[in-house]
Amino acid sequence: MKLQLIKKILDHLKEELNVLLVAANNAHLAAIDEQSIAETQYDTLAIEAGYLAEGQSKRVEELKQAIVSFEHLSSIIKRGSDKDTHIKLGSIVQLSKDKVVNQYFFIGPAAAGFRCEIKNKKFTVITPQSPMGKSLLNKSVGDEFFIMLGNAQLEDEIIYLE
């Protein structure tokens, strides 16, 4: 199940990267285009296009790093040395309140918020840096955990760990 999930995440990240590469290239071309040259001191088209190109280039690097991280995680899982009983990077976790809706969390190195469904199981990627990820790390099945979400405290029990 983990390898299927990682494949879906990787497919999503690679698709997002391809779209972003085109957008970053277009922004770069706009920044250096002859028509972007400032005609007055108030004409900021080239500057704005440059900022956009820079931001998109940073996002491209983030996506490339996320892809590398998931590929590395996949190779670790394929080796089969993943028999820990504590939640860590690469764990699939279900909480008692999510059993009815068949919702699971996947602790991933990136791609926080990505959602997908595999065999009627709904997955949401969270990272160890998120409040939820921090609360779950190193816990085991049967452990209770607490997290503040806004002004409310969520209390739940871990019922599944893979």
Side-chain angles (χ1 to χ4, degrees):
M1 183 73 67
K2 284 184 188 181
L3 292 176
Q4 282 180 293
L5 181 56
I6 290 173
K7 183 184 180 327
K8 277 196 174 228
I9 295 166
L10 279 168
D11 289 347
H12 168 76
L13 290 172
K14 288 174 182 176
E15 183 179 318
E16 190 176 339
L17 177 62
N18 288 334
V19 169
L20 192 58
L21 283 169
V22 170
N25 186 50
N26 289 341
H28 174 72
L29 292 174
I32 61 172
D33 189 83
E34 219 173 81
Q35 294 179 341
S36 295
I37 296 173
E39 295 176 11
T40 70
Q41 67 185 26
Y42 302 107
D43 190 357
T44 61
L45 183 62
I47 294 169
E48 291 169 8
Y51 286 141
L52 179 61
E54 181 183 352
Q56 288 176 328
S57 294
K58 286 180 181 178
R59 181 69 182 132
V60 163
E61 290 309 310
E62 289 171 359
L63 283 171
K64 286 180 179 179
Q65 183 56 48
I67 289 168
V68 168
S69 296
F70 275 104
E71 288 171 342
H72 179 71
L73 182 59
S74 179
S75 68
I76 290 170
I77 291 169
K78 284 178 185 173
R79 284 194 296 254
S81 60
D82 189 16
K83 303 295 181 206
D84 199 357
T85 59
H86 292 85
I87 296 171
K88 63 181 183 301
L89 190 65
S91 294
I92 294 174
V93 179
Q94 186 178 46
L95 307 175
S96 64
K97 293 178 181 173
D98 294 326
K99 187 174 184 171
V100 174
V101 292
N102 218 16
Q103 173 67 47
Y104 295 82
F105 294 101
F106 177 71
I107 315 293
F114 175 76
R115 295 172 185 257
C116 67
E117 192 170 316
I118 301 173
K119 297 181 182 177
N120 295 322
K121 293 181 178 180
K122 299 171 190 152
F123 294 93
T124 301
V125 177
I126 60 174
T127 63
Q129 296 80 22
S130 70
M132 181 82 133
K134 285 178 187 174
S135 295
L136 289 171
L137 283 179
N138 298 314
K139 301 255 189 297
S140 298
V141 171
D143 286 351
E144 289 189 2
F145 82 102
F146 308 90
I147 182 173
M148 289 300 293
L149 298 174
N151 292 333
Q153 180 174 321
L154 170 68
E155 179 181 335
D156 211 337
E157 180 184 351
I158 299 160
I159 61 168
Y160 178 86
L161 172 59
E162 176 183 333

